[in-house]
Amino acid sequence: MPSEQVWSKLQELLDDGLKSIGSAADENALVALQKRFFGKKGEVQAYMQHMKELTPDERPKLGALVNQVRDKLEARFVEAQKHLEEAKMLADLKHRRVDLSLPGRLPMRGAEHPLQKTQREIEDIFLSMGFEIARGPQSEWDYFNFEALNFPEDHPARDMQDTLMLENGSLLRTHTSPVQVRTMLCYEPPIRIIAPGTVYRRDDDVTHSPVFHQIEGLHIEKGLNLTHLRGILQLFAQSLFGKNTKIRLRPSFFPFTEPSVEVDIACIFCGQKGCRLCKQTGWIEILGAGMVDPNVLREGHIDPEVWSGWAFGVGIERVAMLLHGISDIRLFFESDLRFLGQFRR
Ligand code: PHE
């Protein structure tokens, strides 16, 4: 082939290459073109065969020209690749619009469970008065749950608490009062403790759950009487429900206290005018209490001639329901974030 022809063919190859690479429709087309032009048997390399047809001084010129053509085609190739990528990204963005004006999404924040919060608030009140926290097991012996608390076996007083028995002869404690005797057996008086914990009864409706929580209080010292009980429980009610909260003691019965009382607070909803929540009486019951029965002190190896004590038991669910105006106890156990989220501070 005469050299002019080689030059013009090479020019044609360049023109053709620039055009077809520039108009490649997609990635696959580009890959095919890459093979066609730059492969080992590609069209650019093929020009090297014409070397032998040229005079010795024309040969280096051809080499340089072929290199130039390859460089230009390669530059166009990189350009085309970039172009295709951009077009793809734009098409993607059209599909999945990003709205930069939207507010950011905050990570979910946890919150204390309302029962936990109420328990902590009650604990704080008694801790500030010098009480300490004590605990006992949830699966309890009949002895501590009933017998030592002056509920004799087969005594009708046991009907007050619908019990869940376990197969090993123990039971799920029906109240936190067993911690009273356990504490007396472990520590010398004077004793000032509160015992928070889970308790169980065979009971289930909108205000009763088979699993619920109580805080027991026990105070043993020389010379205690009902006025001490009244004074501390009054302070407790005022710290929890507001400093003008009035309380009253009503005679009641528990086997392990004598005398026993039920403590009411003046209705916080109607200011004692009478409403559905206080059943038109102006008073709402919040806890049971009383002077520790001498029989119970004796079970705890404490001499009732020397020491006296008073005790109370308060339901945490009940207090939380009153504090927050909750009418269905099951809300505490359903883990519904719409409910639980309202107690975030
Ligand atoms: N244990 C009683 C109950 O669960 C409450 C109580 C505790 C009463 C301490 C008097 C003294 O009903």
Side-chain angles (χ1 to χ4, degrees):
M1 206 194 298
S3 55
E4 312 84 65
Q5 263 183 35
V6 174
W7 305 141
S8 71
K9 281 265 173 209
L10 200 50
Q11 185 63 47
E12 249 172 57
L13 171 67
L14 178 60
D15 293 344
D16 178 31
L18 288 176
K19 220 167 95 194
S20 37
I21 293 173
S23 58
D26 56 24
E27 205 103 3
N28 289 340
L30 263 190
V31 171
L33 287 168
Q34 187 177 34
K35 212 172 150 196
R36 178 175 148 203
F37 291 106
F38 311 120
K40 258 196 189 147
K41 291 179 186 156
E43 291 184 23
V44 174
Q45 196 56 35
Y47 267 87
M48 290 306 197
Q49 288 170 12
H50 298 297
M51 278 296 186
K52 45 189 176 318
E53 297 156 19
L54 300 178
T55 61
D57 50 319
E58 278 175 332
R59 280 177 200 160
K61 249 173 93 190
L62 176 71
L65 272 173
V66 169
N67 280 343
Q68 265 180 36
V69 168
R70 180 188 290 120
D71 287 350
K72 282 185 181 157
L73 289 178
E74 264 171 8
R76 173 61 57 93
F77 188 83
V78 171
E79 224 172 71
Q81 219 167 19
K82 227 172 94 186
H83 188 76
L84 278 178
E85 268 167 26
E86 270 170 19
K88 202 171 143 198
M89 199 172 77
L90 282 174
D92 263 13
L93 277 180
K94 249 190 198 156
H95 265 98
R96 307 181 279 118
R97 283 252 167 131
V98 178
D99 184 350
L100 296 178
S101 68
L102 282 176
R105 274 180 217 156
L106 288 176
M108 287 249 276
R109 251 187 320 133
E112 206 175 16
H113 191 280
L115 290 179
Q116 187 121 39
K117 191 172 165 203
T118 307
Q119 175 176 329
R120 193 176 40 74
E121 284 166 6
I122 299 175
E123 284 173 5
D124 285 349
I125 294 170
F126 284 98
L127 289 175
S128 76
M129 293 192 274
F131 284 69
E132 287 179 69
I133 292 183
R135 291 179 201 281
Q138 294 179 31
S139 83
E140 185 54 284
W141 299 113
D142 183 284
Y143 173 75
F144 287 112
N145 197 84
F146 290 124
E147 198 81 31
L149 292 173
N150 208 26
F151 290 86
E153 213 186 336
D154 296 325
H155 193 280
R158 290 192 178 206
D159 289 350
M160 288 166 73
Q161 305 192 356
D162 298 327
T163 314
L164 295 156
M165 313 300 294
L166 298 178
E167 277 175 358
N168 67 355
S170 67
L171 48 84
L172 291 173
R173 65 176 177 189
T174 57
H175 50 179
T176 41
S177 300
V179 184
Q180 288 190 27
V181 179
R182 283 180 174 274
T183 306
M184 292 179 208
L185 291 175
C186 288
Y187 299 97
E188 293 292 322
I191 289 172
R192 234 181 267 128
I193 56 121
I194 51 169
T198 311
V199 300
Y200 304 82
R201 288 189 203 176
R202 201 176 160 281
D203 228 352
D204 202 1
D205 60 47
V206 286
T207 54
H208 294 90
S209 157
V211 182
F212 62 109
H213 303 82
Q214 284 187 334
I215 296 187
E216 191 80 9
L218 174 68
H219 185 187
I220 298 176
E221 232 169 282
K222 287 178 184 160
L224 291 182
N225 59 49
L226 264 183
T227 60
H228 298 100
L229 175 160
R230 193 193 155 94
I232 290 195
L233 291 182
Q234 165 115 28
L235 206 58
F236 162 67
Q238 290 174 339
S239 310
L240 205 55
F241 297 104
K243 59 177 188 302
N244 295 324
T245 310
K246 278 193 288 181
I247 68 167
R248 78 170 179 190
L249 309 189
R250 239 178 330 110
S252 184
F253 173 77
F254 299 102
F256 39 94
T257 46
E258 183 59 36
S260 300
V261 293
E262 214 82 66
V263 177
D264 298 338
I265 54 169
C267 184
I268 46 178
F269 300 103
C270 65
Q272 294 199 286
K273 287 193 192 73
C275 68
R276 192 173 50 86
L277 292 156
C278 62
K279 298 184 188 115
Q280 312 303 330
T281 64
W283 294 97
I284 294 183
E285 177 194 321
I286 56 160
L287 55 83
M291 299 308 294
V292 180
D293 193 289
N295 285 343
V296 176
L297 290 172
R298 262 180 233 113
E299 290 296 330
H301 300 170
I302 290 177
D303 183 355
E305 300 299 327
V306 181
W307 301 95
S308 51
W310 62 271
F312 72 91
V314 62
I316 299 176
E317 279 79 357
R318 175 147 184 80
V319 170
M321 287 169 86
L322 287 174
L323 278 177
H324 302 289
I326 297 162
S327 53
D328 188 338
I329 197 171
R330 291 168 295 199
L331 285 165
F332 291 123
F333 308 111
E334 282 169 352
S335 303
D336 185 335
L337 292 180
R338 290 169 303 179
F339 172 74
L340 297 176
Q342 296 176 44
F343 299 90
R344 209 179 276 138
R345 267 188 290 180

